[in-house]
Short mmCIF file of all heavy atoms in Angstrom, two decimals:
data_model
loop_
_atom_site.label_atom_id
_atom_site.label_comp_id
_atom_site.label_asym_id
_atom_site.label_seq_id
_atom_site.Cartn_x
_atom_site.Cartn_y
_atom_site.Cartn_z
N VAL A 183 6.66 -89.52 97.36
CA VAL A 183 8.15 -89.73 97.32
C VAL A 183 8.89 -88.77 96.39
O VAL A 183 9.93 -88.19 96.66
CB VAL A 183 8.53 -91.20 96.90
CG1 VAL A 183 9.98 -91.36 96.70
CG2 VAL A 183 7.94 -92.13 97.92
N VAL A 184 8.26 -88.46 95.16
CA VAL A 184 8.81 -87.51 94.17
C VAL A 184 8.85 -86.16 94.76
O VAL A 184 9.96 -85.41 94.55
CB VAL A 184 7.97 -87.59 92.89
CG1 VAL A 184 8.43 -86.53 92.03
CG2 VAL A 184 8.24 -89.01 92.16
N ASP A 185 7.92 -85.73 95.54
CA ASP A 185 7.88 -84.41 96.04
C ASP A 185 9.07 -84.25 97.05
O ASP A 185 9.78 -83.33 96.89
CB ASP A 185 6.59 -84.11 96.86
CG ASP A 185 5.44 -83.91 95.93
OD1 ASP A 185 5.56 -83.67 94.70
OD2 ASP A 185 4.24 -84.00 96.39
N VAL A 186 9.27 -85.23 97.96
CA VAL A 186 10.37 -85.12 98.85
C VAL A 186 11.72 -85.29 98.07
O VAL A 186 12.70 -84.63 98.49
CB VAL A 186 10.23 -86.22 99.93
CG1 VAL A 186 11.39 -86.30 100.87
CG2 VAL A 186 8.96 -85.95 100.72
N MET A 187 11.74 -86.13 97.20
CA MET A 187 13.00 -86.36 96.39
C MET A 187 13.40 -85.04 95.80
O MET A 187 14.69 -84.76 95.57
CB MET A 187 12.87 -87.44 95.34
CG MET A 187 14.19 -87.82 94.74
SD MET A 187 14.09 -89.34 93.80
CE MET A 187 13.96 -90.57 95.12
N GLY A 188 12.50 -84.29 95.28
CA GLY A 188 12.78 -82.98 94.72
C GLY A 188 13.39 -82.08 95.66
O GLY A 188 14.38 -81.35 95.31
N GLU A 189 12.83 -82.08 96.89
CA GLU A 189 13.57 -81.25 98.00
C GLU A 189 14.90 -81.64 98.26
O GLU A 189 15.87 -80.91 98.51
CB GLU A 189 12.65 -81.27 99.20
CG GLU A 189 11.22 -80.55 98.99
CD GLU A 189 10.23 -80.97 100.08
OE1 GLU A 189 10.68 -81.48 101.13
OE2 GLU A 189 9.01 -80.51 100.02
N VAL A 190 15.08 -82.98 98.40
CA VAL A 190 16.45 -83.58 98.82
C VAL A 190 17.42 -83.25 97.71
O VAL A 190 18.56 -82.94 97.88
CB VAL A 190 16.29 -85.02 99.07
CG1 VAL A 190 17.69 -85.70 99.18
CG2 VAL A 190 15.49 -85.30 100.28
N ALA A 191 17.08 -83.52 96.43
CA ALA A 191 17.87 -83.22 95.27
C ALA A 191 18.34 -81.83 95.35
O ALA A 191 19.49 -81.45 95.03
CB ALA A 191 17.22 -83.54 94.02
N GLU A 192 17.41 -80.91 95.53
CA GLU A 192 17.82 -79.47 95.51
C GLU A 192 18.71 -79.17 96.59
O GLU A 192 19.78 -78.40 96.45
CB GLU A 192 16.55 -78.58 95.78
CG GLU A 192 16.78 -77.14 95.61
CD GLU A 192 15.52 -76.34 95.68
OE1 GLU A 192 14.35 -76.90 95.76
OE2 GLU A 192 15.59 -75.10 95.72
N ALA A 193 18.61 -79.72 97.78
CA ALA A 193 19.51 -79.56 98.96
C ALA A 193 20.90 -80.10 98.54
O ALA A 193 21.98 -79.61 99.09
CB ALA A 193 19.00 -80.23 100.17
N MET A 194 20.95 -81.15 97.63
CA MET A 194 22.22 -81.64 97.30
C MET A 194 22.76 -80.98 95.99
O MET A 194 23.84 -81.53 95.38
CB MET A 194 22.11 -83.15 96.99
CG MET A 194 21.82 -83.96 98.28
SD MET A 194 21.52 -85.77 97.82
CE MET A 194 21.65 -86.51 99.47
N GLY A 195 22.22 -79.94 95.55
CA GLY A 195 22.64 -79.20 94.44
C GLY A 195 22.18 -79.91 93.09
O GLY A 195 22.76 -79.60 92.06
N ARG A 196 21.19 -80.65 93.06
CA ARG A 196 20.73 -81.34 91.80
C ARG A 196 19.24 -80.83 91.62
O ARG A 196 18.64 -80.22 92.38
CB ARG A 196 20.76 -82.84 92.00
CG ARG A 196 22.24 -83.29 92.02
CD ARG A 196 22.06 -84.91 92.15
NE ARG A 196 23.42 -85.43 92.01
CZ ARG A 196 23.95 -85.96 90.88
NH1 ARG A 196 23.24 -85.83 89.85
NH2 ARG A 196 25.17 -86.57 90.85
N ARG A 197 18.68 -81.19 90.43
CA ARG A 197 17.41 -80.84 90.06
C ARG A 197 16.68 -82.09 89.59
O ARG A 197 17.23 -82.94 88.87
CB ARG A 197 17.28 -79.86 88.92
CG ARG A 197 15.95 -79.43 88.45
CD ARG A 197 15.95 -78.22 87.46
NE ARG A 197 16.49 -78.59 86.13
CZ ARG A 197 15.80 -79.25 85.23
NH1 ARG A 197 14.57 -79.66 85.52
NH2 ARG A 197 16.37 -79.63 84.15
N LEU A 198 15.44 -82.28 90.01
CA LEU A 198 14.72 -83.48 89.73
C LEU A 198 14.09 -83.29 88.43
O LEU A 198 13.49 -82.18 88.10
CB LEU A 198 13.67 -83.64 90.90
CG LEU A 198 12.92 -85.04 90.86
CD1 LEU A 198 13.80 -86.21 91.32
CD2 LEU A 198 11.69 -85.00 91.68
N ALA A 199 14.08 -84.31 87.55
CA ALA A 199 13.29 -84.18 86.31
C ALA A 199 12.85 -85.58 85.81
O ALA A 199 13.51 -86.55 86.27
CB ALA A 199 14.22 -83.56 85.15
N PRO A 200 11.77 -85.68 85.11
CA PRO A 200 11.33 -87.05 84.54
C PRO A 200 12.44 -87.52 83.60
O PRO A 200 12.91 -86.61 82.85
CB PRO A 200 9.99 -86.78 83.93
CG PRO A 200 9.90 -85.30 83.73
CD PRO A 200 10.81 -84.61 84.79
N LEU A 201 12.58 -88.76 83.50
CA LEU A 201 13.69 -89.28 82.48
C LEU A 201 13.29 -88.91 81.04
O LEU A 201 14.23 -88.66 80.27
CB LEU A 201 13.68 -90.80 82.65
CG LEU A 201 14.76 -91.49 81.73
CD1 LEU A 201 16.03 -91.07 81.99
CD2 LEU A 201 14.51 -92.98 81.80
N ILE A 202 12.01 -88.77 80.82
CA ILE A 202 11.63 -88.47 79.34
C ILE A 202 12.29 -87.06 79.03
O ILE A 202 12.34 -86.89 77.74
CB ILE A 202 10.07 -88.55 79.24
CG1 ILE A 202 9.70 -88.76 77.84
CG2 ILE A 202 9.41 -87.37 79.92
CD1 ILE A 202 8.26 -89.17 77.56
N GLN A 203 12.51 -86.23 79.96
CA GLN A 203 13.13 -84.88 79.57
C GLN A 203 14.57 -85.02 79.17
O GLN A 203 15.04 -84.07 78.64
CB GLN A 203 12.92 -83.93 80.71
CG GLN A 203 11.49 -83.40 80.86
CD GLN A 203 11.42 -82.30 81.91
OE1 GLN A 203 12.41 -81.84 82.44
NE2 GLN A 203 10.24 -81.97 82.22
N ALA A 204 15.27 -86.12 79.47
CA ALA A 204 16.65 -86.22 79.18
C ALA A 204 16.98 -86.01 77.76
O ALA A 204 17.90 -85.47 77.34
CB ALA A 204 17.18 -87.59 79.58
N ALA A 205 16.17 -86.59 76.75
CA ALA A 205 16.42 -86.47 75.39
C ALA A 205 16.34 -85.07 74.96
O ALA A 205 17.38 -84.61 74.37
CB ALA A 205 15.37 -87.36 74.60
N PRO A 206 15.38 -84.24 75.20
CA PRO A 206 15.39 -82.91 74.78
C PRO A 206 16.46 -82.06 75.47
O PRO A 206 17.00 -81.04 74.82
CB PRO A 206 14.01 -82.38 75.02
CG PRO A 206 13.49 -83.31 76.00
CD PRO A 206 13.95 -84.60 75.71
N GLU A 207 16.64 -82.37 76.75
CA GLU A 207 17.56 -81.50 77.40
C GLU A 207 18.99 -81.65 77.04
O GLU A 207 19.84 -80.66 77.00
CB GLU A 207 17.58 -81.89 78.88
CG GLU A 207 16.35 -81.37 79.80
CD GLU A 207 16.46 -81.70 81.27
OE1 GLU A 207 17.31 -82.51 81.71
OE2 GLU A 207 15.78 -81.00 82.04
N CYS A 208 19.39 -82.83 76.59
CA CYS A 208 20.73 -83.12 76.05
C CYS A 208 20.89 -83.13 74.55
O CYS A 208 22.03 -83.37 74.10
CB CYS A 208 21.28 -84.41 76.71
SG CYS A 208 20.68 -85.92 75.92
N GLY A 209 19.82 -82.87 73.84
CA GLY A 209 19.91 -82.81 72.49
C GLY A 209 19.94 -84.08 71.74
O GLY A 209 20.44 -84.25 70.59
N LEU A 210 19.45 -85.19 72.36
CA LEU A 210 19.53 -86.49 71.77
C LEU A 210 18.36 -86.62 70.69
O LEU A 210 17.21 -86.38 70.94
CB LEU A 210 19.17 -87.59 72.90
CG LEU A 210 19.24 -89.00 72.55
CD1 LEU A 210 20.64 -89.40 72.20
CD2 LEU A 210 18.76 -89.83 73.70
N SER A 211 18.81 -86.96 69.44
CA SER A 211 17.95 -86.92 68.43
C SER A 211 17.02 -88.12 68.44
O SER A 211 17.38 -89.21 69.02
CB SER A 211 18.74 -87.08 67.09
OG SER A 211 19.32 -88.23 66.89
N SER A 212 15.78 -88.01 67.91
CA SER A 212 14.83 -89.04 67.91
C SER A 212 15.39 -90.23 67.13
O SER A 212 15.14 -91.43 67.46
CB SER A 212 13.50 -88.52 67.35
OG SER A 212 13.56 -88.09 66.03
#
């Protein structure tokens, strides 16, 4: 499901990422 969701997200102009990456990506401090 995750593999196909990555393809669908890309077709919709989005990028798939694990939620745990949200903190470093947006600069959320520990």
Side-chain angles (χ1 to χ4, degrees):
V183 173
V184 168
D185 286 345
V186 173
M187 188 168 292
E189 297 170 4
V190 171
E192 185 175 356
M194 293 181 170
R196 292 178 174 268
R197 182 173 68 81
L198 194 73
L201 179 65
I202 199 168
Q203 285 187 8
E207 281 188 345
C208 76
L210 185 66
S211 71
S212 58

